[in-house]
Amino acid sequence: IYGDRCMINPFKQKRGLGRGLSSLIGDSSSSSKKNKISVSSIIRNKYQPRKNFNKESLEDLTNSIKERGIIQPIIVRKSKTQDNKFEIVAGERRWLAAQNAGLHEVPIVEVDVDDLKSLEFAIVENVQRHDLNPIEEAQGYQRLIDEFNYDQEKVAKFIGKNRTHITNSLRILSLPEDVINLIEKGKLSLGHAKVLVGLENSYIIANKIIDKKLSVRQAENLIRIIKNPKKFKVSKKDPNINNLENILKEKLGIDVFIKNRKNNRGSITFEYKDIDQLNRLITVIKSNY
């Protein structure tokens, strides 16, 4: 599977990996001298932007590697500080899972890249993952923009996401730290987060969303009400009208609703639940008028 011919760019024919990482490998000089190297000869990438790896996700990858081996090679470069060692450029999760699975050797692609390019590799691989929380994802996009002169359009094409997604993702980084913490803990989705952007009381609203388990649509409605309280203000009915409704209900045995406007014009609604109630209403009206 990992012969010399495919080691130059083994990602080219694989689906679902995104164009970013494949493109970077194609742009970098790579070597096919080594198909596999020992796990112990690999060291961590000091530029790895992701510090925490999901334990459950890592266990799933470990089990997959036990069954099928490592399908996607680890991208490495020669270590500048340790002889006969290779530093991970992209694929630290696969390396950790390989150790957990008890593998002694792993397939690699060796590339010749500087520190800056190594960081770019690591960021691109991370933002293409599906288990990032929205903050980690947004921070990855922001680093590509700040440190590698990407614009949002280039990020979108490179990662394989639409431009709107990139824009919404970046906007949530402007939220207060306490709201960002809630997103990082998985209590708020990207959809919830983006409707909170720009609100002065975003943390209070965020907690209401969590406490009431509101959907994104419900959260949007809540924010509309908060922004325009007059528009959504529920008018209190005159107690005299309420009293009159109750008197009529007792007399007729059916629900009565009176809508009285400021100019004392309005409507009376009789709500019957079956034909007997309708006949009773008609009888009462006929007998009195």
Side-chain angles (χ1 to χ4, degrees), residues 195 199 205 216-232:
V195 302
L199 299 178
I205 297 173
V216 174
R217 179 64 60 84
Q218 290 170 328
E220 288 173 340
N221 290 336
L222 172 63
I223 290 169
R224 287 194 192 101
I225 293 171
I226 292 172
K227 285 183 174 180
N228 302 287
K230 292 182 180 180
K231 184 177 179 181
F232 296 92

Side-chain angles (χ1 to χ4, degrees), residues 99 141 147 167 232-233 248 260 287:
Q99 293 178 74
Y141 297 152
E147 300 173 36
T167 301
F232 296 92
K233 186 177 180 180
L248 291 172
N260 186 58
S287 63

Side-chain angles (χ1 to χ4, degrees), residues 151-164:
D151 57 26
Q152 290 189 25
E153 190 67 33
K154 183 178 178 181
V155 171
K157 289 181 178 179
F158 214 62
I159 304 303
K161 305 263 187 174
N162 63 57
R163 171 70 180 272
T164 301

Side-chain angles (χ1 to χ4, degrees), residues 50-67:
R50 194 174 184 192
K51 305 304 179 184
N52 300 311
F53 294 93
N54 181 277
K55 184 178 179 181
E56 185 177 338
S57 175
L58 195 59
E59 288 176 356
D60 289 343
L61 181 58
T62 299
N63 292 331
S64 174
I65 287 174
K66 285 179 180 178
E67 292 181 12

Side-chain angles (χ1 to χ4, degrees), residues 94-108:
R94 296 190 293 282
W95 176 62
L96 293 171
Q99 293 178 74
N100 294 340
L103 297 189
H104 299 293
E105 290 185 323
V106 291
I108 60 100

